[in-house]
């Protein structure tokens, strides 16, 4: 069972996802499977993906598990952090992109029930 606060997903942005997939395959032996336009889920390693770099994804993004994303977002605000709106990802769960009270970005992920 995953507990709140554990890293449960990551996204690595790349200008050239084919080149990034080859690099991480060479380093870690990762294999990927396409999911969407230019998003490639790691199928034999850490839970995460290699994605096309864009204005929203310019640096690696780490997702932390939460069992109650709404309560977590409220707590982030109480402690001086910020959160974008919670988004539902069909058949996956709910996510929110956040930053702590010093501006460090991170994300939350609440798996689908």
């Amino acid at each position: 069972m995953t507990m709140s606060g554990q890293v449960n997903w990551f996204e690595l942005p790349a200008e050239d996802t084919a080149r990034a997939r080859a690099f991480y395959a060479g380093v870690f032996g990762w294999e990927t499977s396409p999911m969407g336009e230019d998003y490639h889920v790691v199928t034999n390693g850490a839970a995460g993906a290699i994605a096309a770099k864009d204005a929203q994804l310019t640096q690696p993004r780490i997702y932390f598990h939460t069992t109650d994303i709404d309560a977590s977002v409220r707590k982030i605000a109480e402690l001086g952090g910020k959160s974008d709106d919670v988004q539902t990802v069909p058949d996956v769960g709910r996510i929110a992109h956040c930053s702590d009270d010093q501006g460090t970005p991170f994300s939350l992920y609440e798996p689908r029930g």
Side-chain angles (χ1 to χ4, degrees):
M1 179 168 132
T2 304
M3 299 180 63
S4 285
Q6 287 185 313
V7 173
N8 65 348
W9 192 257
F10 69 87
E11 292 169 333
L12 295 175
E15 297 284 343
D16 180 338
T17 58
R19 191 167 146 196
R21 292 188 336 262
F23 176 84
Y24 289 105
V27 174
F28 300 123
W30 286 355
E31 297 172 5
T32 60
S33 177
M35 179 178 159
E37 190 172 322
D38 199 7
Y39 194 86
H40 307 273
V41 176
V42 177
T43 58
N44 67 332
I50 296 168
K53 184 182 274 189
D54 63 20
Q56 276 68 51
L57 186 62
T58 60
Q59 299 177 23
R61 181 178 288 154
I62 303 296
Y63 289 80
F64 294 100
H65 177 271
T66 180
T67 57
D68 185 343
I69 199 166
D70 298 308
S72 295
V73 164
R74 284 191 300 275
K75 182 57 80 173
I76 287 166
E78 286 173 21
L79 297 172
K82 296 182 180 172
S83 173
D84 291 349
D85 292 337
V86 175
Q87 304 169 45
T88 298
V89 180
D91 300 320
V92 173
R94 299 170 70 210
I95 63 171
H97 302 307
C98 309
S99 58
D100 67 18
D101 62 340
Q102 297 182 62
T104 303
F106 67 96
S107 295
L108 298 174
Y109 169 57
E110 177 190 280
R112 190 175 127 222

